[in-house]
Amino acid sequence: MEGKVKRWQGWLFCLAVVLAGCKSSETAESTAGKTLADLIGGMAVGGAEGVYIGRRMAEQKVELDVVLPRKRAIETMKKGEAVKVTFDSGLLFLKNASTLSDTAKYILRQLTACVNRYPDIDLKIVCYTDNAGETEPNRILSERRARGVRDYLAAQGVAAHRMTFKGMGVLYPAADNRTPAGREQNRRLEIWFLAGEQMMREAQLRK
């Protein structure tokens, strides 16, 4: 009997180790992504309201997929109630600077027409760096880059009140900073498309 108990204890210990390993194997990207999504705002509302918002976001996503060049990622976030577009910052900015490249200006002009067809959607512009160099200069650079994108979109005709921006610097890495490929992936700019006040009011009418 004692032997059986010990064997069961051994199995339970192994199972606990496996489950703990599964939990800890969650990547830094996914863990940080969940936290960041909370910081971005635009909480999922669900129900009929969520269905309406999700449909509007799906329409926006289709247009973005058509007008934006291939070198980007477009993802549905927050249970379908937000869209995130991610660009490699090397595509948008001159090296170690906040100056927009000619490619960036072309992309943002294409984006403007698409964005203005959905005046009920707000934008949050978030920029990141890798961990090379000092933390505070990286944060300042990311802030300037995010602001530069906001300012250029505003100059092209996107209403300023629809946009906010944030420089995250080295926070919330998408990949491992210990590798060149990971650092490249971490140098990125995200534009989040979120339900604005007008869309939220329209969604509430569908309760």
Side-chain angles (χ1 to χ4, degrees), residues 178-198:
R178 292 174 295 181
T179 68
R183 289 192 294 275
E184 182 179 4
Q185 192 173 340
N186 290 333
R187 297 190 295 268
R188 68 199 192 277
L189 181 130
E190 298 172 351
I191 301 180
W192 288 71
F193 295 76
L194 306 165
E197 290 184 9
Q198 178 184 338

Side-chain angles (χ1 to χ4, degrees), residues 41-58 75-84 120-122 192-196 199-200 203:
M43 293 296 290
V45 295
E49 298 169 76
V51 171
Y52 174 76
I53 293 171
R55 186 168 65 248
R56 293 288 290 162
M57 289 296 171
E75 304 171 76
T76 299
M77 307 294 289
K78 293 183 175 292
K79 299 181 180 180
E81 295 174 22
V83 173
K84 180 180 72 171
D120 53 355
I121 291 179
D122 287 349
W192 288 71
F193 295 76
L194 306 165
M199 185 183 293
M200 292 300 295

Side-chain angles (χ1 to χ4, degrees), residues 18-206:
V18 170
L19 291 175
C22 290
K23 184 174 180 62
S24 64
S25 67
E26 199 175 62
T27 64
E29 177 182 2
S30 63
T31 302
K34 291 173 186 174
T35 307
L36 178 61
D38 293 337
L39 291 175
I40 292 298
M43 293 296 290
V45 295
E49 298 169 76
V51 171
Y52 174 76
I53 293 171
R55 186 168 65 248
R56 293 288 290 162
M57 289 296 171
E59 293 169 1
Q60 174 81 93
K61 185 173 183 290
V62 169
E63 283 210 30
L64 290 168
D65 195 44
V66 171
V67 304
L68 293 179
R70 297 298 96 188
K71 290 185 177 181
R72 77 307 188 258
I74 303 178
E75 304 171 76
T76 299
M77 307 294 289
K78 293 183 175 292
K79 299 181 180 180
E81 295 174 22
V83 173
K84 180 180 72 171
V85 181
T86 305
F87 297 99
D88 179 343
S89 65
L91 181 69
L92 302 181
F93 304 100
L94 302 182
K95 188 175 181 180
N96 297 324
S98 57
T99 305
L100 289 169
S101 67
D102 290 340
T103 299
K105 292 175 182 178
Y106 169 78
I107 290 171
L108 295 177
R109 287 195 298 271
Q110 296 295 103
L111 187 67
T112 296
C114 182
V115 165
N116 282 341
R117 280 193 286 273
Y118 295 84
D120 53 355
I121 291 179
D122 287 349
L123 278 62
K124 183 151 192 172
I125 301 156
V126 191
C127 192
Y128 312 80
T129 67
D130 60 24
N131 68 346
E134 297 181 8
T135 299
E136 184 60 11
N138 278 330
R139 186 199 64 78
I140 292 171
L141 176 62
S142 67
E143 188 91 0
R144 288 175 176 169
R145 287 177 166 180
R147 183 189 297 114
V149 170
R150 189 278 311 268
D151 290 349
Y152 192 83
L153 286 171
Q156 298 306 304
V158 180
H161 72 267
R162 297 178 57 192
M163 298 183 287
T164 58
F165 67 92
K166 180 72 175 177
M168 291 292 187
V170 302
L171 297 178
Y172 305 105
D176 191 343
N177 268 310
R178 292 174 295 181
T179 68
R183 289 192 294 275
E184 182 179 4
Q185 192 173 340
N186 290 333
R187 297 190 295 268
R188 68 199 192 277
L189 181 130
E190 298 172 351
I191 301 180
W192 288 71
F193 295 76
L194 306 165
E197 290 184 9
Q198 178 184 338
M199 185 183 293
M200 292 300 295
R201 287 195 298 268
E202 292 173 353
Q204 289 170 0
L205 295 176
R206 286 154 175 79

